[in-house]
Amino acid sequence: MHPFASRWNHNSELYPQVAELISDCKVVLDVGCGDGTLARYLAEQGHEVVGIDRSPDVLPDDVSGAHFELADANNLPYGYDSFDAAVAVAALHHNREQGLGLSEMRRGLRPGGRIVVVGLAADKSMADFAAAAKDAATAKWRERGKEIWHPDVPEAEPQLSWDETRQLFSEYLEGSTWERVGTFRYLATWQRT
């Protein structure tokens, strides 16, 4: 059974995959952590997590293994080489300066550190709309038998297209991987050498 079967959405569906991608990373920064669901899950997996968000109303109380702070993703209050991994799930598109946010995540990574981003992009081309139709069918199939969960966190519509988002990662995280993973999400990863 999926660990978020009772609190399932298109973000929480991908939490186990995010956890797997950073399984060997001890200290993790969760950028745009919202209510802390992912950060708490990662802490349960044995990570030490710092969750940041710019919305004070959503930040939860600290729990064992997860500490939460009010902070700006474009001006992280941490030094160079502070984290083994930085993750962001459905958060990057809230940032008007996404490239700066990626640069800050990269700056905070230790050598060998990893960035994992699950994000959304805007449909702007015929190919985007065709992929969105396929995503809608995939989403309906994946939602079957699940209790859909809507966390009480701010939402934002993505402004960059899928191509623009892919280009952003190529520009700011050279050598990153980027793929559309269905249900209106992409998954991007990068590792510092």
Side-chain angles (χ1 to χ4, degrees), residues 28-111:
V28 178
L29 176 66
D30 182 5
V31 177
C33 67
D35 68 357
T37 302
L38 173 60
R40 287 190 301 272
Y41 174 67
L42 294 174
E44 291 168 3
Q45 307 303 308
H47 302 279
E48 296 172 19
V49 185
V50 174
I52 65 154
D53 204 286
R54 65 181 180 196
S55 301
D57 298 339
V58 300
L59 281 175
D61 293 330
D62 292 355
V63 297
S64 180
H67 171 69
F68 299 97
E69 296 183 14
L70 185 64
D72 181 356
N74 290 344
N75 187 20
L76 293 174
Y78 314 107
Y80 288 87
D81 304 339
S82 296
F83 299 96
D84 300 312
V87 300
V89 174
L92 188 64
H93 71 281
H94 287 252
N95 190 337
R96 292 188 187 273
E97 298 180 71
Q98 294 182 39
L100 181 55
L102 290 175
S103 294
E104 280 291 278
M105 291 170 74
R106 183 184 65 214
R107 179 185 64 79
L109 283 186
R110 295 176 179 142

Side-chain angles (χ1 to χ4, degrees), residues 97-183:
E97 298 180 71
Q98 294 182 39
L100 181 55
L102 290 175
S103 294
E104 280 291 278
M105 291 170 74
R106 183 184 65 214
R107 179 185 64 79
L109 283 186
R110 295 176 179 142
R114 199 167 300 129
I115 292 174
V116 177
V117 176
V118 172
L120 294 83
D123 296 326
K124 294 186 178 180
S125 70
M126 291 306 292
D128 292 343
F129 289 112
K134 184 178 177 184
D135 282 353
T138 301
K140 284 291 181 198
W141 183 81
R142 289 182 182 173
E143 290 170 1
R144 292 179 311 149
K146 309 264 187 355
E147 184 178 327
I148 307 300
W149 170 58
H150 299 283
D152 187 21
V153 296
E155 295 184 9
E157 290 297 320
Q159 299 303 308
L160 297 181
S161 72
W162 295 91
D163 285 340
E164 290 167 333
T165 303
R166 186 182 302 112
Q167 181 59 38
L168 181 83
F169 278 87
S170 294
E171 182 179 341
Y172 285 90
L173 299 175
E174 187 177 349
S176 60
T177 65
W178 190 100
E179 65 177 317
R180 192 166 180 150
V181 291
T183 61

